[in-house]
Amino acid sequence: FFKRGSNDSRKEIIKMSIEDGYLFGFDIKNEGREQVEKAIKDMLSDNDYKIHLPVITSSDAKDSSSVGSFFTWIKADLTYEGLKQILYEPEERVFLGEEPEILQRVRENKTKFIKELRINQVAGYNGDKGIWFKDIKIPFNPGLVAIIGNKGMGKSAITDILALCGNSHRYNDFSFLRHDRFLKDDLANNFEAELEWESGEKIKKRLNENTDVNSPERVRYFPQNFFERLTNNLEAYEFKKELEKLVFSYLPEEEKYGKATFDDLIKSKKVDLDKKIAFYQSKLKETNEKIIDLEKKKHPEYRKKLEELLKLKIKELEEHEKIKPKEVPDPSKDESLSEELKRKSKELNALNEKEEELKKEKKDLEEQKLTLSTEINELEHIKNDLYNLKTQIELFINENKDKLEKFNLKIEQVITYKIDFTPIEQVLEAKKKLKDEKEKELKNLLDKEKDLEKEIKDLTNQLSEPQKRYQKYREDLEKWEKKRKEIEGNENLPHSVKWYEKEIRYIEKNLDVDLSDLRNERIEYTKEIFKHKNELLGIYKKFKKSVEEKISEFQGIFGDYQINIDASFHLDTNFYDDFLRYINQKVKGSFYGVDEGKLYLKDLIKNKKFNDFEEIKSFLIEIIDSLEKDKREKYQNEERYIKDQILREEKWLEFYNFLFSLSYLKPVYELKFGNKNIELLSPGEKGALLIVFYLLLDKEDIPLIIDQPEENLDNESIYRILTHFIRYAKNRRQLIIVTHNPNLAIVGDAEQIIYVHIDKVNNNKFSFESGAIENSQINKHCSDILEGTLKAFDKRRLKYLRL
């Protein structure tokens, strides 16, 4: 027939025949489906034509020895109805070749596939607490097994028992083997289970036994209670930890540095980074102290106080001028004095001059002694710093010499150092000796001064009254001059007229410039801190890179529910409260009012990207600007002062250290479902995300058991997302799922469906039926129990053979 028509008509006939489900025979020996499809595409001259046909091989051989090693494998119930399923899912149901992959995996990994579960009453149990499990033997397919049944009819009982024998570490989340259910009143002690693996290994346990968290898990189990608890955790902490553990397995071993967990790796990196950050935090603290000092001086109250004190000091000086001792003439110039009195007067003047020189010498010695004390103190600090440095180096050597020896390196090859305290100690000793000498000289001067004062006093007593008055005048004038100099002072003498004038000039001319410089210096220290924190974020980005390639293979399946991975800095969840506890929200300012202030802070942060230092810098500058200007609409940037808005002045430094050390920036490995962060996901979406990740990314190949993964998910999401990954996962590992949703059991094309039932009227007797989807009895249970969308039934309507 093909030979009679034109090429075009022949192609149309072939296409119509394919679409109507006719089978074609091709003389292709020992070849697979790909060759058949290629032959049809060649006939149609269309390489993009999609073919959905079952491909089988046949032979007229009279015995199996003539067939060869190339077989047709059909996955189906051993019935005609089972055979018909290859029309609807040819790629899933038919395999051409020596051995299907699933059988090869079972053969090569027999310790990782459950073969059969047996549950029975223990010897001596009389059934007075219910029949429950008696001579139960449930075989398990190595592919996808769906356990169905009405509510409370034993579905979770089977998965809990499998998990118990498989040593699941989620024992506390079991829903059937619980102390308020089957373990109550020691009921479980009357039953035992035996799990047999394909290897022939058997594990037997009483149902009241516990699992051993110190021994490895043989199965991965997700009880329904675990999902509910995990996905309803408001902080999402445990949820994130589960995902982190899973994704950590995708980090290349050479980038794990021998660490067993995500947390261990992060901690090991943080040790070195924290040391670097601590250095800049100490510099930041020093700078913040200087800034606070200037900001206090910037406050108008401080200037007002200076001006008032200056006025008071000037008034004091004016008043002091008024009490200047009245001048008394020097009687030694009086010609009427006797020669004896003139002589004594001149002698007294000489003693007074000598006393002035002595006081000047004493002042010089005191200044030298002060300088020496300062230098000795500075040298002692340097010596202590050197000692600390020596201690740190020796500690580093002791900690790392054994590590280097693993690489045949000696610590001496890496570190050579010499710290010689001798020069410093010599200079110190010389300075201390000189200081002692100055102290002795000063003591001698004091003794001389005391003797001189006595001599002056004795000589004064021998003078005439005019001479005594003159001597008294000299002493009073000296005291007055000294007091005047103290009041007038100099720029380095605190609380003097000139010091107050200098402070006021500084506020007027230089304070803002210095404050700006210090704030820029502070930003630079913050930049260094961010740089080192960003190194830690790099670890998270490696996590991102390690797994996103795998996820990208399946992004087409997700549609609107795409999974995105982001490694970035996030604000600590307590940031707003931590920030505002330093602010007095009862005084005028941008952060005035408990609710209003928090809202303003949130608006300030909104849309800020904390992965870019320029944005962090902008944010910090805006915070300071908001403290110095009232950003509320009706105040139009009216000037405010930081000092007024700090709740407690003694916490001012702590506030700045908190704000500029960036301790509130936390590196986060974030998973997004669609455009939502984890925190914003509904419990159902979290559950779907976690399940998808385990189905898709879990590198373990032990059996995966999930109790009702569809809980809180709409049928559309189940159909569009979960079923694809269930199909993917069942080709990697044995998958056992408790479900009441047809999209999982049917669209997922379960290789085995187990219907369970507990007859509560008949003394709680447990029973089950097992078979493939096309099995008529199983098919009836599916249609009776499973609830689903019209799409599910349309998609697999031919599987429900007896509806």
Side-chain angles (χ1 to χ4, degrees):
F1 181 81
F2 289 159
K3 292 179 181 178
R4 293 184 183 178
S6 67
N7 285 337
D8 290 339
S9 63
R10 234 181 328 174
K11 291 174 183 177
E12 287 304 313
I13 292 170
I14 293 171
K15 284 184 180 180
M16 289 170 57
S17 301
I18 291 172
E19 289 164 5
D20 286 341
Y22 286 95
L23 303 180
F24 290 83
F26 293 89
D27 185 19
I28 300 174
K29 300 183 187 299
N30 290 347
E31 300 290 354
R33 177 183 181 85
E34 293 80 7
Q35 282 66 36
V36 174
E37 291 184 347
K38 184 177 183 305
I40 294 176
K41 289 177 180 180
D42 288 345
M43 291 172 62
L44 296 175
S45 301
D46 184 358
N47 286 329
D48 295 325
Y49 188 72
K50 303 297 181 185
I51 304 167
H52 301 285
L53 289 174
V55 177
I56 60 175
T57 62
S58 59
S59 171
D60 59 355
K62 301 300 185 289
D63 56 70
S64 59
S65 61
S66 304
V67 175
S69 60
F70 196 79
F71 303 102
T72 296
W73 296 82
I74 296 176
K75 181 176 70 175
D77 210 17
L78 297 179
T79 63
Y80 179 64
E81 301 301 340
L83 181 62
K84 285 169 63 177
Q85 296 303 310
I86 69 172
L87 292 173
Y88 313 119
E89 290 170 323
E91 294 184 16
E92 292 286 333
R93 294 284 187 151
V94 179
F95 173 80
L96 301 183
E98 186 174 346
E99 183 180 35
E101 184 182 352
I102 178 64
L103 297 185
Q104 181 181 344
R105 277 192 289 113
V106 173
R107 178 169 50 78
E108 294 175 353
N109 300 276
K110 291 186 177 182
T111 61
K112 296 178 180 179
F113 286 88
I114 296 170
K115 181 179 182 180
E116 186 174 79
L117 175 66
R118 294 183 278 275
I119 318 171
N120 205 356
Q121 300 170 354
V122 299
Y125 176 59
N126 59 14
D128 60 326
K129 295 182 179 180
I131 297 173
W132 295 100
F133 307 102
K134 186 174 183 179
D135 296 327
I136 303 298
K137 295 181 181 179
I138 306 176
F140 284 87
N141 189 283
L144 172 61
V145 179
I147 300 175
I148 67 172
N150 289 317
K151 187 174 182 180
M153 289 297 165
K155 301 187 298 297
S156 296
I158 298 303
T159 52
D160 277 8
I161 294 170
L162 285 171
L164 175 69
C165 295
N167 199 46
S168 168
H169 293 175
R170 297 207 169 98
Y171 180 82
N172 292 327
D173 290 307
F174 287 5
S175 56
F176 179 74
L177 296 179
R178 280 175 26 181
H179 289 286
D180 59 345
R181 294 191 64 187
F182 198 68
L183 299 181
K184 189 177 181 181
D185 299 328
D186 206 28
L187 173 60
N189 190 39
N190 299 299
F191 301 88
E192 63 183 8
E194 185 178 71
L195 184 65
E196 183 177 354
W197 299 86
E198 288 288 347
S199 63
E201 178 189 3
K202 296 176 183 178
I203 298 173
K204 184 179 288 188
K205 283 201 172 188
R206 285 278 180 104
L207 297 192
N208 64 338
E209 289 186 49
N210 206 332
T211 58
D212 182 4
V213 294
N214 295 314
S215 296
E217 290 184 308
R218 299 289 298 274
V219 300
R220 178 88 74 198
Y221 183 37
F222 291 109
Q224 190 177 358
N225 289 340
F226 169 76
F227 271 116
E228 289 177 356
R229 177 172 54 80
L230 198 65
T231 56
N232 284 290
N233 183 346
L234 293 178
E235 295 296 327
Y237 173 79
E238 192 174 357
F239 182 76
K240 285 183 178 180
K241 289 300 173 187
E242 281 296 318
L243 292 172
E244 283 174 356
K245 283 193 294 185
L246 184 60
V247 175
F248 179 75
S249 65
Y250 273 79
L251 195 65
E253 288 300 324
E254 66 270 16
E255 293 179 7
K256 292 180 182 177
Y257 303 107
K259 303 303 177 184
T261 68
F262 174 90
D263 283 340
D264 289 343
L265 179 60
I266 294 299
K267 285 175 184 175
S268 69
K269 288 292 180 183
K270 273 177 78 5
V271 169
D272 294 332
L273 293 175
D274 284 348
K275 290 177 183 177
K276 296 175 184 177
I277 289 172
F279 170 77
Y280 288 105
Q281 284 176 335
S282 67
K283 303 297 288 183
L284 187 69
K285 181 176 179 289
E286 292 172 10
T287 304
N288 279 332
E289 288 172 341
K290 296 174 185 176
I291 288 172
I292 289 170
D293 183 55
L294 292 187
E295 287 174 345
K296 286 178 180 178
K297 291 180 178 181
K298 186 179 174 68
H299 196 283
E301 284 183 0
Y302 179 75
R303 175 168 179 166
K304 183 180 178 182
K305 183 180 178 182
L306 285 178
E307 289 171 345
E308 292 297 326
L309 289 168
L310 177 60
K311 286 179 185 178
L312 192 62
K313 214 67 181 174
I314 291 173
K315 181 67 176 174
E316 185 181 350
L317 186 59
E318 289 171 353
E319 293 299 319
H320 187 67
E321 291 289 346
K322 293 177 182 179
I323 62 170
K324 183 177 180 180
K326 188 176 180 180
E327 185 177 359
V328 175
D330 185 354
S332 63
K333 298 176 182 178
D334 187 352
E335 294 297 328
S336 64
L337 284 176
S338 66
E339 290 301 320
E340 178 66 19
L341 288 175
K342 284 182 181 179
R343 183 184 64 75
K344 287 183 178 181
S345 183
K346 287 180 182 179
E347 189 178 338
L348 183 61
N349 287 341
L351 288 174
N352 284 330
E353 288 174 5
K354 188 175 181 181
E355 185 183 38
E356 284 296 323
E357 290 174 2
L358 202 63
K359 285 181 178 178
K360 191 181 290 184
E361 190 177 349
K362 186 179 75 169
K363 185 179 178 183
D364 288 343
L365 279 172
E366 286 174 341
E367 287 177 356
Q368 289 178 42
K369 182 185 169 186
L370 179 62
T371 301
L372 286 167
S373 295
T374 304
E375 290 175 345
I376 288 168
N377 184 58
E378 189 175 351
L379 283 167
E380 290 284 6
H381 274 298
I382 294 172
K383 182 181 173 182
N384 287 334
D385 287 344
L386 274 175
Y387 178 78
N388 290 334
L389 177 61
K390 181 175 181 291
T391 302
Q392 289 175 5
I393 294 172
E394 289 175 349
L395 184 63
F396 179 85
I397 289 172
N398 290 331
E399 287 178 349
N400 291 278
K401 62 182 179 181
D402 291 339
K403 296 177 184 176
L404 286 171
E405 283 179 3
K406 291 193 302 184
F407 305 100
N408 294 322
L409 290 171
K410 297 289 185 183
I411 192 73
E412 295 81 8
Q413 295 174 277
V414 179
I415 296 178
T416 56
Y417 79 100
K418 177 183 177 183
I419 295 178
D420 190 355
F421 291 94
T422 305
I424 291 177
E425 287 172 346
Q426 287 174 346
V427 174
L428 261 174
E429 191 172 341
K431 294 283 184 186
K432 287 177 180 178
K433 185 178 180 181
L434 187 57
K435 182 186 172 188
D436 290 341
E437 290 173 0
K438 297 298 177 184
E439 283 178 345
K440 287 177 182 177
E441 289 180 35
L442 189 59
K443 186 176 181 301
N444 290 334
L445 281 178
L446 289 171
D447 291 340
K448 286 179 182 181
E449 186 179 39
K450 190 181 291 185
D451 293 341
L452 192 58
E453 285 174 354
K454 185 177 182 304
E455 194 175 345
I456 290 171
K457 185 177 179 181
D458 291 343
L459 188 56
T460 302
N461 290 334
Q462 298 175 29
L463 297 175
S464 65
E465 284 302 318
Q467 288 174 316
K468 288 179 180 179
R469 285 197 300 272
Y470 177 70
Q471 183 62 28
K472 176 76 166 53
Y473 162 72
R474 281 179 58 90
E475 291 172 356
D476 290 345
L477 183 61
E478 183 183 349
K479 290 178 183 177
W480 183 88
E481 286 287 354
K482 182 179 179 183
K483 179 68 173 177
R484 187 182 64 80
K485 287 179 181 178
E486 287 177 0
I487 296 171
E488 191 177 54
N490 58 62
E491 291 185 350
N492 297 317
L493 182 63
H495 313 302
S496 65
V497 170
K498 290 187 177 179
W499 184 82
Y500 286 130
E501 288 173 341
K502 181 203 74 172
E503 283 290 292
I504 292 170
R505 283 198 308 273
Y506 175 75
I507 291 170
E508 290 174 346
K509 296 181 179 180
N510 302 107
L511 187 146
D512 285 337
V513 174
D514 289 350
L515 182 57
S516 177
D517 289 343
L518 282 171
R519 285 177 173 176
N520 289 335
E521 180 182 303
R522 176 169 65 183
I523 285 292
E524 288 303 309
Y525 290 139
T526 300
K527 185 177 181 179
E528 290 298 320
I529 290 171
F530 175 79
K531 184 177 78 173
H532 293 304
K533 288 179 75 73
N534 208 31
E535 289 180 40
L536 189 61
L537 185 64
I539 303 297
Y540 288 77
K541 288 180 178 177
K542 285 182 180 179
F543 274 60
K544 176 180 184 294
K545 185 179 179 182
S546 67
V547 75
E548 63 185 356
E549 189 175 307
K550 184 68 176 178
I551 293 176
S552 66
E553 297 176 16
F554 298 89
Q555 288 289 20
I557 295 173
F558 290 112
D560 296 335
Y561 299 95
Q562 292 194 4
I563 292 179
N564 300 308
I565 299 179
D566 188 26
S568 59
F569 284 116
H570 279 206
L571 281 181
D572 189 282
T573 52
N574 297 320
F575 172 77
Y576 298 102
D577 293 334
D578 288 342
F579 177 92
L580 292 170
R581 69 187 172 91
Y582 294 106
I583 306 299
N584 186 350
Q585 294 183 270
K586 294 180 180 179
V587 300
K588 288 182 179 180
S590 304
F591 301 99
Y592 177 83
V594 174
D595 296 329
E596 299 91 333
K598 192 168 189 177
L599 183 61
Y600 175 76
L601 182 59
K602 286 186 175 181
D603 285 341
L604 199 66
I605 289 170
K606 187 169 60 178
N607 299 325
K608 283 283 189 298
K609 305 295 182 185
F610 288 97
N611 300 299
D612 179 8
F613 182 73
E614 288 305 312
E615 289 219 32
I616 293 172
K617 178 180 175 181
S618 170
F619 159 70
L620 293 171
I621 291 172
E622 284 181 49
I623 288 287
I624 298 301
D625 189 51
S626 297
L627 288 167
E628 292 187 321
K629 295 174 187 172
D630 199 327
K631 299 294 182 178
R632 292 176 295 170
E633 188 174 348
K634 69 177 181 177
Y635 291 98
Q636 298 182 339
N637 285 328
E638 190 173 309
E639 190 173 16
R640 298 282 181 255
Y641 297 94
I642 296 175
K643 180 177 180 292
D644 297 333
Q645 295 173 79
I646 297 297
L647 189 60
R648 293 165 58 191
E649 192 170 315
E650 66 269 21
K651 293 289 186 179
W652 197 344
L653 179 60
E654 184 180 308
F655 169 61
Y656 275 170
N657 291 340
F658 158 75
L659 186 61
F660 288 90
S661 68
L662 307 180
S663 58
Y664 47 84
L665 283 190
K666 305 296 183 185
V668 174
Y669 185 82
E670 186 176 37
L671 289 155
K672 294 182 178 179
F673 198 36
N675 293 320
K676 293 182 181 179
N677 295 338
I678 288 176
E679 290 79 3
L680 301 178
L681 297 181
S682 69
E685 288 171 323
K686 286 181 186 174
L689 182 60
L690 189 60
I691 292 168
V692 165
F693 261 73
Y694 268 100
L695 293 173
L696 173 61
L697 296 175
D698 189 9
K699 286 190 171 182
E700 288 282 1
D701 53 2
I702 57 177
L704 178 60
I705 305 170
I706 308 176
D707 191 353
Q708 298 182 54
E710 72 275 12
E711 199 67 21
N712 297 320
L713 274 182
D714 60 275
N715 283 304
E716 183 70 13
S717 298
I718 294 169
Y719 174 75
R720 291 184 58 188
I721 300 174
L722 279 188
T723 52
H724 292 283
F725 293 106
I726 285 175
R727 283 173 171 264
Y728 173 79
K730 75 177 185 177
N731 290 324
R732 296 177 51 248
R733 67 200 301 184
Q734 191 174 29
L735 194 56
I736 301 170
I737 295 178
V738 170
T739 183
H740 53 71
N741 189 293
N743 287 320
L744 293 184
I746 298 169
V747 183
D749 194 29
E751 277 74 19
Q752 177 186 11
I753 293 180
I754 301 173
Y755 165 74
V756 298
H757 178 72
I758 293 177
D759 190 345
K760 296 183 180 179
V761 176
N762 188 19
N763 207 15
N764 288 323
K765 182 180 180 181
F766 176 89
S767 62
F768 76 95
E769 294 178 56
S770 174
I773 292 173
E774 56 266 26
N775 179 286
S776 60
Q777 192 58 35
I778 294 297
N779 194 265
K780 183 177 186 306
H781 288 311
C782 288
S783 61
D784 288 344
I785 294 171
L786 301 179
E787 301 171 355
T789 61
L790 181 61
K791 181 181 287 189
F793 283 96
D794 286 341
K795 181 73 176 176
R796 293 292 179 264
R797 64 186 183 277
L798 293 175
K799 290 186 178 181
Y800 288 91
L801 303 177
R802 299 186 180 275
L803 280 178

